[in-house]
Amino acid sequence: MTDQPTPKRGARKRVGARTKRAARPAASPIRVALTGARTFLGERLVQVLEADPRVAHILALDIAPPRSGRGKTRFARLDLTDPMADERMADLLKEDGIDVLCHLAFLSKPSHSRSWAHELEAIGSLYVMNAAAEAQVPKVILGSTTMVYGAYSTNPNFLTEDHPLRGNPASRWVKDKVSAERELMKLKRDCPDIITTSLRFGVILGPTVKSFFTRMFGRQVVVSLMGYDPLMQFLHEEDAVRALAKAVFEDHQGAFNIVGDGVLYYSQALKLGGRVPMRMPHGFAYPSATLLWNLQVVDTPGPFLNYFRYSWLADGKRAKEVMGFEPEHSSREALTDFYASCEARQAEANEQLTPREVAS
């Protein structure tokens, strides 16, 4: 299928001193909206906000209500692939008097429906930012990823927030996330009084999160490229949720790398979980993965192998010094906690089988 061209942006209303919405008193509970309410981060954020007395109201936007929603949560169905999504969303944000908008409506793994995924993530992000500008939401938070920097042999040891977002031109999944970042930057340019925060999460692992990476590291046999052993870093799911909640309750302008402390070689990460590397020459692996991806046999597109060939480590210094965010788990701890949950699930599954089924 052919990707749909991104529609031209309509003129945004600049938020000046005369048109800016009256600020809510500092002591008043806030009203929070989020897209992607059924994603992992969306569900966990709703759970945290429901329990926090600093929050008066939650507007959950998605095509299905979050399971974690309770008395504070109002669900409104919103499909970001709908051409009228920005107008409907702006009306909802105004109606609920939203103070903070979290944009979390992103896929956790590449999709074979590339046009639909592009409309959801890239064009959907345009709609979200247009709605935020129209409703004059004081703060917008984007749940991004360190993958937007791209995996290249020329990368420095650690990528800072000032590094260009080179992404992966051959991967629509990564390109759409770069597009979302650019929409946030344009929102800041058009509406300078809006606080815009981008949280670039590292690879999130833990007992409950599900994503492309959890599926990959959850297998016993994992692809490995001959002659390459990049350094990797991981972020515990609890730290990801903590950083997101911190951005909701505090004002932090700009982009922040949210990563766990410490790094591991890819081979160490596999060995830690007893995974068996399936070593392949990269000249063979790329076209093979692309072919099998197109046949929907594997979930790793060929170009995506760059992230297991080159290092793309992010520097978390700015998050520590400016946001005051300190991860409670190291990269190793996030990975070992994930592996432990995999073993627990496997043991539970084995207990439900008969002795004959286990033996087979």
Side-chain angles (χ1 to χ4, degrees):
M1 292 188 289
T2 303
D3 292 327
Q4 298 292 329
T6 302
K8 292 183 179 179
R9 174 185 308 279
R12 280 183 178 150
K13 183 178 181 181
R14 291 184 68 88
V15 183
R18 295 183 180 177
T19 60
K20 185 178 179 181
R21 192 178 71 186
R24 188 179 302 276
S28 299
I30 61 174
R31 305 174 71 83
V32 183
L34 66 154
T35 64
R38 279 294 287 265
T39 63
F40 167 77
L41 286 176
E43 289 277 11
R44 292 296 302 276
L45 180 61
V46 169
Q47 184 180 31
V48 169
L49 299 180
E50 280 279 1
D52 199 303
R54 294 173 292 178
V55 177
H57 176 75
I58 305 164
L59 174 61
L61 304 171
D62 208 323
I63 58 174
R67 301 180 182 90
S68 54
R70 296 293 182 268
K72 294 180 183 178
T73 301
R74 174 199 175 199
F75 169 70
R77 190 181 189 282
L78 180 73
D79 184 351
L80 289 177
T81 64
D82 185 337
M84 302 298 290
D86 53 348
E87 295 183 17
R88 169 163 168 71
M89 185 174 178
D91 290 340
L92 290 168
L93 297 175
K94 292 176 184 178
E95 182 180 341
D96 284 27
I98 296 303
D99 302 298
V100 182
L101 169 61
C102 299
H103 182 29
L104 308 173
F106 297 98
L107 302 175
S108 62
K109 60 182 182 296
S111 171
H112 287 89
S113 302
R114 299 202 315 160
S115 292
W116 170 79
H118 177 68
E119 291 178 7
L120 172 66
E121 297 195 339
I123 300 177
S125 292
L126 182 152
Y127 291 156
V128 169
M129 303 309 160
N130 280 347
E134 174 63 27
Q136 299 179 28
V137 176
K139 179 163 61 179
V140 177
I141 301 168
L142 174 69
S144 188
T145 168
T146 55
M147 296 181 73
V148 295
Y149 295 117
Y152 295 93
S153 61
T154 55
N155 279 346
N157 291 335
F158 287 93
L159 298 151
T160 70
E161 290 83 354
D162 295 327
H163 196 82
L165 307 185
R166 296 194 285 174
N168 186 331
S171 171
R172 168 57 68 188
W173 189 53
V174 179
K175 285 174 64 178
D176 287 341
K177 290 167 176 57
V178 173
S179 295
E181 288 262 10
R182 290 175 177 157
E183 293 302 331
L184 186 71
M185 295 174 190
K186 291 175 184 176
L187 174 65
K188 185 61 179 178
R189 181 201 64 196
D190 296 343
C191 304
D193 287 337
I194 294 180
I195 297 170
T196 55
T197 305
S198 173
L199 300 181
R200 296 172 183 165
F201 297 108
V203 176
I204 302 175
L205 296 180
T208 64
V209 65
K210 295 180 180 179
S211 68
F212 166 83
F213 287 100
T214 61
R215 291 181 64 174
M216 179 172 178
F217 284 104
R219 296 190 176 97
Q220 288 300 314
V221 180
V222 184
V223 66
S224 175
L225 300 178
M226 290 182 179
Y228 296 92
D229 192 14
L231 287 168
M232 302 192 74
Q233 59 192 169
F234 304 98
L235 176 68
H236 197 282
E237 61 183 48
E238 297 294 339
D239 286 326
V241 176
R242 283 180 50 247
L244 183 55
K246 189 176 183 66
V248 168
F249 293 115
E250 301 173 4
D251 294 344
H252 298 290
Q253 173 61 44
F256 298 89
N257 295 328
I258 307 298
V259 295
D261 287 331
V263 298
L264 298 95
Y265 283 104
Y266 181 46
S267 59
Q268 291 177 317
L270 298 183
K271 185 177 181 180
L272 198 61
R275 278 21 181 185
V276 179
M278 182 174 63
R279 295 185 174 86
M280 303 173 66
H282 70 272
F284 173 75
Y286 280 75
S288 298
T290 298
L291 174 62
L292 294 175
W293 162 260
N294 290 334
L295 294 174
Q296 301 190 26
V297 175
V298 300
D299 27 49
T300 307
F304 206 77
L305 292 176
N306 280 358
Y307 290 93
F308 304 95
R309 182 180 181 184
Y310 305 117
S311 293
W312 42 291
L313 303 175
D315 189 343
K317 183 178 179 181
R318 185 166 188 261
K320 293 178 180 179
E321 294 182 350
V322 179
M323 281 188 69
F325 171 77
E326 291 277 357
E328 294 182 351
H329 304 81
S330 66
S331 287
R332 177 180 288 270
E333 289 168 341
L335 190 59
T336 54
D337 204 8
F338 165 71
Y339 282 142
S341 68
C342 290
E343 294 173 3
R345 283 193 293 269
Q346 184 60 52
E348 183 179 351
N350 289 341
E351 289 178 358
Q352 298 175 359
L353 299 176
T354 65
R356 178 176 298 179
E357 289 173 320
V358 173
S360 62

